[in-house]
Amino acid sequence: MKRTLHPQAVPGEPSAVRWVVEVDLPVGRVTAAPGTVGPLIEYGVLTKVFVERGGVWTWLAPGRTWTEHGPRVRDALAAAVDLPGWEVEEDSDELLGLIAREILDGELAGYVASHGGVITVASAQGGRLTLDFGGACEDCPAAASTLHERIEAAVRERYPLLGGVERVGGAHHRSRGWLGLPVPGRGR
């Protein structure tokens, strides 16, 4: 059965496309794939392929364009996504970082910005995310709730191997007021 896939641009990465489709595959970097996806990887048309719960990420080789190869990649993925023969290296920190950035810059961007905050990915290592809370998020009393109930939940839905999420500086994060100025009596 051939599935319908929706292409989504990856900001800052013109050679990458995230194909939105529900898949029942291990999460991580694809090393071999069934159908015509396999030869696209083997012959270097696709230089990198990741699988997550909500889609498949693909990167074209330099010098290739999505106008030229997009329909072929889409059709190959749509036909292969339900076939056996996928080989996936699970637990990719690169994929974890991509998913977290996409969530923070996409579905949660409006929520964070509406509160005057900025949240960025500081690192994705060992299956764990470290996030940097800035702006009004820096000293927000609801930051822990945002971290775990919104961000962690959204990332874990697409990357079930997530080991945990924490803030830069942890519990000892330097306190500042909502204007970025030090709070009297709470540090420098």
Side-chain angles (χ1 to χ4, degrees):
M1 179 177 97
K2 192 171 177 179
R3 298 256 213 120
T4 302
L5 285 81
H6 170 72
Q8 183 181 49
V10 178
E13 301 218 27
S15 65
V17 167
R18 175 178 178 256
W19 300 92
V20 180
V21 61
E22 287 301 316
V23 294
D24 188 24
L25 293 167
V27 173
R29 186 181 186 123
V30 175
T31 57
T36 55
V37 176
L40 289 172
I41 296 169
E42 289 174 35
Y43 296 117
V45 174
L46 295 175
T47 58
K48 192 168 29 176
V49 179
F50 288 114
V51 177
E52 56 141 307
R53 287 287 177 251
V56 179
W57 300 66
T58 55
W59 279 259
L60 282 178
R64 303 194 187 257
T65 67
W66 285 108
T67 302
E68 177 186 5
H69 293 282
R72 183 166 55 146
V73 171
R74 179 200 60 225
D75 292 346
L77 286 170
V81 76
D82 292 317
L83 296 176
W86 289 85
E87 293 178 22
V88 179
E89 290 178 357
E90 293 188 63
D91 204 19
S92 167
D93 289 336
E94 183 179 1
L95 177 59
L96 174 57
L98 287 165
I99 291 170
R101 284 179 193 91
E102 198 273 328
I103 287 169
L104 290 170
D105 295 343
E107 68 186 81
L108 293 181
Y111 170 76
V112 173
S114 73
H115 292 86
V118 177
I119 303 174
T120 58
V121 176
S123 72
Q125 294 179 331
R128 299 185 63 78
L129 274 176
T130 303
L131 304 176
D132 189 5
F133 280 50
C137 289
E138 193 170 350
D139 286 325
C140 178
S145 172
T146 298
L147 180 68
H148 298 291
E149 294 172 20
R150 290 191 183 253
I151 300 169
E152 184 174 359
V155 172
R156 192 175 302 283
E157 184 176 312
R158 291 172 50 186
Y159 192 89
L161 303 172
L162 177 65
V165 180
E166 59 191 26
R167 290 178 64 175
V168 169
H172 304 291
H173 190 68
R174 188 174 59 198
S175 295
R176 293 196 169 268
W178 68 277
L179 292 176
L181 300 173
V183 176
R186 291 194 340 188
R188 25 185 187 130

